Amino acid sequence: MPFDRSIKIAPSILSADFANFGAEIRAIEAHGADWVHVDVMDGHFVPNLTFGPMAVKAFRPHVKTVMDVHLMIAPVDPYIDAYAEAGADVLTAHVEAGPHIHRTLQAIRGAGMKAGVALNPGTPAEAVAHLLDLADLVCVMTVNPGFGGQKFIDMTAKVRSLRAMIGDRPVHVEIDGGVDPVTAPLVAAAGADVLVAGSAVFKGGSVDAPEVYGRNIQAIRAAADGAGAA
Ligand code: DX5
Ligand code: ZN
């Protein structure tokens, strides 16, 4: 399949009803989600705790698109096989999560998944300069990770630098945190192609009113597409 650089909206189920993940996943996919973003937090690397590989494995049969698993955990390496077994398509680790991100990315690919590397807001683009041939995705955090619903931190200069560093390699640039119809065009114009959005997608909707999810996704997509990628 050719590398797809078009805008993809990846709702984060961190903002879904935690008692109803299967129906929530089906609802967002039926209403325009391109990928499903799954935020794994360990209460150690980030000050919040979500779910582990057993829960992610239970989500898998509901996800018909791409299951994009964002690990906010340290260490990462002991859990890579468990997330492969859980059915992650993309597994993203933070560059700040340990001393051997290069080995981690090799191990993720070795386990049969696409490998992502995430950068906290305080980490420069150059941190991934020697990783771009090992990564399928670079995730630029536009909030400090741990919670949904935070204010967008402008990282457009970092996104532009990354796009230039990536060149024609088949590497996605994903934005995570505070993405909504106002901020999406900024990062799309800078060269991002995967837009994670939690609160901006789930706001006002429910599994009983999933058309709201559809409208929210469409509003983000229209704003991003209107910006025109650089
Ligand atoms: C933050 C998570 C994000 C989060 C985004 O730590 O990695 O995926 O759910 O949520 P919003 O879109 O509400 O900022
Ligand atoms: Zn995330």
Side-chain angles (χ1 to χ4, degrees):
M1 206 168 76
F3 184 72
D4 176 12
R5 282 186 67 155
S6 64
I7 294 291
K8 291 162 287 295
I9 310 296
S12 165
I13 59 169
L14 187 62
S15 295
D17 175 359
F18 267 45
N20 209 4
F21 280 121
E24 291 277 41
I25 289 167
R26 294 194 301 275
I28 53 175
E29 288 197 338
H31 289 82
D34 299 293
W35 291 13
V36 175
H37 186 82
V38 177
D39 285 307
V40 173
M41 305 185 185
D42 67 352
H44 165 75
F45 179 70
V46 290
N48 196 4
L49 194 57
T50 55
F51 29 67
M54 291 172 68
V56 175
K57 187 173 188 173
F59 305 156
R60 178 71 263 186
H62 301 282
V63 179
K64 306 297 183 207
T65 57
V66 172
M67 189 159 74
D68 175 34
V69 179
H70 177 194
L71 297 181
M72 288 161 276
I73 68 172
V76 170
D77 294 8
Y79 299 99
I80 290 172
D81 288 345
Y83 286 99
E85 160 75 9
D89 294 304
V90 182
L91 192 68
T92 296
H94 270 259
V95 76
E96 306 87 2
H100 298 297
I101 186 68
H102 189 284
R103 175 187 292 149
T104 298
L105 295 175
Q106 286 179 320
I108 292 171
R109 280 190 171 172
M113 297 172 282
K114 300 276 191 202
V117 58
L119 299 172
N120 280 335
T123 303
E126 289 67 28
V128 299
H130 300 283
L131 302 171
L132 294 172
D133 290 320
L134 290 171
D136 301 288
L137 175 148
V138 179
C139 174
V140 178
M141 295 303 303
T142 40
V143 297
N144 286 296
F147 303 94
Q150 301 183 80
K151 191 175 178 316
F152 178 82
I153 303 168
D154 190 348
M155 290 283 138
T156 47
K158 190 192 290 188
V159 175
R160 280 186 210 285
S161 308
L162 278 168
R163 260 292 160 229
M165 288 162 61
I166 288 167
D168 58 9
R169 295 176 176 93
V171 179
H172 298 290
V173 176
E174 176 176 75
I175 305 297
D176 191 0
V179 172
D180 63 20
V182 174
T183 57
L186 306 175
V187 291
D193 64 309
V194 184
L195 306 184
V196 175
S199 41
V201 167
F202 285 91
K203 183 183 62 176
S206 72
V207 293
D208 297 321
E211 64 282 356
V212 178
Y213 299 161
R215 285 201 292 274
N216 291 341
I217 290 169
Q218 180 49 29
I220 298 167
R221 190 190 307 282
D225 283 341

